Amino acid sequence: MFKRIVNWSGWKYVFISFAWVITLGGVVVLMSFIEYKKSGVICKDVRIYIPGNQYFIDKKEVENILQVSSKNLMGRKLEDINIHELEKRLNANPFIESAKVYEDMDGVISIEISQRSPVMRVMNQFDQDFYVDQHGIKIPLSDNFTANVLAANGFIEEPFGDKIDTLHTSIAKDLFKTVQFIRADSLWSAQIAQIYVNQDHEMELIPRVGSHRILLGNADSLDVKFKNLKIFYKKALPLVGWDAYKTINVKYANQVIGIKNDNLKRDSTKAATDTSKLKKDTILIKH
């Protein structure tokens, strides 16, 4: 007698397909039920959440954008309110990075706002003033809040058109890269107060401690340049004083060039880790 061979793999496929049909049917029924319930729900409240402690945009401005006070939302049926359109209107605001709008069956519309986070303030050569956020996006100043961020000014050709925009010029991209590097280091974040772009389109750092300027050049090899500067700060300046030089040039990879401060009455001599190999105004850096 022959045994019947059961094709379990085929039955397994049938069972899985049947389960999917049941699941999808349940989802359709549930969505239909939700839509039915929603059709009779009236918007009773609008709740706005703006996390963080920097408020470029506040709840009142969000309410004005959505016209909450003019009963554009309150008192209306939820089915007549276009949630996606509300998000679109909010995301058009230059201070909002993202906006999420959702509703519940109690008639409450909730709005979650994620603000842009500025890392740099730029004053270009056209007397335009704007922020740059953590993604390199230009945004306008705010009447509500002034961010405590690193400022850059001087011969900066980066234009600003009062709208959300990316950085275009090489000097602006160098500034952004440099600011991000400084922000990531607690020492330089505390020491560097401002960045100035000179006529040669080279960056000069203005420190909080000392009357000197630090000629950085461009944003290439920032880790090497700041490492050289740190060595200079630790081993040279303590010997001659923080006001011994008016300019400290770190734009070269293997040396720091100091220009003496002529206003000092005392005679300052050059200091370095290897004083026997010093040139007149050059401090060699050895790693």
Side-chain angles (χ1 to χ4, degrees):
M1 180 178 294
F2 297 100
K3 293 182 179 180
R4 179 176 297 177
I5 300 175
V6 178
N7 188 353
W8 289 107
S9 62
W11 281 104
K12 183 179 180 180
Y13 176 77
V14 172
F15 290 147
I16 293 176
S17 299
F18 183 74
W20 271 109
V21 170
I22 295 298
T23 302
L24 290 175
V27 170
V28 171
V29 173
L30 180 62
M31 293 299 295
S32 300
F33 176 75
I34 291 175
E35 288 299 320
Y36 174 77
K37 290 272 293 182
K38 179 180 173 182
S39 62
V41 177
I42 301 297
C43 178
K44 301 176 182 178
D45 191 14
V46 177
R47 299 174 183 174
I48 302 170
Y49 305 94
I50 308 178
N53 55 7
Q54 294 185 353
Y55 296 101
F56 285 102
I57 184 169
D58 55 20
K59 293 182 179 180
K60 184 178 180 180
E61 189 169 353
V62 173
E63 290 176 350
N64 291 337
I65 294 173
L66 300 181
Q67 300 177 352
V68 174
S69 60
S70 62
K71 297 184 179 181
N72 187 48
L73 297 179
M74 300 288 289
R76 292 182 61 189
K77 292 183 178 181
L78 292 184
E79 62 179 342
D80 295 332
I81 298 174
N82 190 331
I83 296 298
H84 298 294
E85 178 62 27
L86 298 181
E87 289 182 345
K88 183 178 179 181
R89 285 159 61 183
L90 289 171
N91 285 320
N93 186 283
F95 301 114
I96 296 177
E97 183 174 340
S98 64
K100 182 179 179 181
V101 182
Y102 54 93
E103 56 195 17
D104 61 30
M105 301 311 298
D106 294 326
V108 176
I109 292 180
S110 298
I111 302 168
E112 295 181 0
I113 300 293
S114 177
Q115 299 182 86
R116 294 191 180 276
S117 180
V119 298
M120 174 175 65
R121 181 170 178 172
V122 176
M123 291 153 276
N124 65 18
Q125 64 186 50
F126 311 115
D127 293 328
Q128 294 175 315
D129 203 347
F130 56 92
Y131 289 115
V132 178
D133 78 353
Q134 76 274 27
H135 303 299
I137 302 299
K138 293 181 288 188
I139 56 177
L141 302 186
S142 169
D143 294 332
N144 298 329
F145 183 79
T146 300
N148 183 21
V149 294
L150 204 58
N153 67 337
F155 295 86
I156 303 173
E157 299 171 351
E158 181 71 26
F160 181 65
D162 290 322
K163 63 178 181 179
I164 301 175
D165 196 9
T166 57
L167 299 174
H168 299 287
T169 61
S170 58
I171 186 60
K173 294 176 182 179
D174 274 3
L175 284 168
F176 178 69
K177 182 178 178 181
T178 303
V179 168
Q180 291 289 68
F181 186 93
I182 292 172
R183 280 169 49 86
D185 189 290
S186 58
L187 170 64
W188 302 124
S189 182
Q191 169 65 347
I192 305 303
Q194 186 179 338
I195 304 177
Y196 176 76
V197 177
N198 61 30
Q199 290 183 330
D200 297 324
H201 286 84
E202 292 183 326
M203 291 181 289
E204 298 180 7
L205 309 180
I206 302 174
R208 288 187 172 89
V209 179
S211 58
H212 56 275
R213 288 197 175 194
I214 303 161
L215 181 57
L216 187 68
N218 55 32
D220 294 340
S221 303
L222 289 176
D223 54 340
V224 176
K225 293 176 180 178
F226 278 95
K227 184 177 182 180
N228 290 347
L229 181 60
K230 180 182 273 188
I231 293 173
F232 181 81
Y233 269 11
K234 286 185 176 181
K235 297 189 177 182
L237 286 188
L239 299 179
V240 297
W242 286 88
D243 296 324
Y245 299 101
K246 63 181 179 181
T247 302
I248 300 172
N249 185 344
V250 296
K251 70 178 184 176
Y252 302 109
N254 59 354
Q255 61 183 7
V256 176
I257 301 174
I259 300 177
K260 292 179 180 179
N261 191 344
D262 296 331
N263 294 328
L264 291 180
K265 295 182 180 180
R266 62 187 179 87
D267 182 21
S268 297
T269 57
K270 198 67 64 175
T273 56
D274 186 2
T275 56
S276 63
K277 295 183 179 180
L278 287 182
K279 296 182 180 179
K280 182 178 180 182
D281 286 311
T282 302
I283 299 174
L284 303 180
I285 299 296
K286 293 186 176 183
H287 301 294

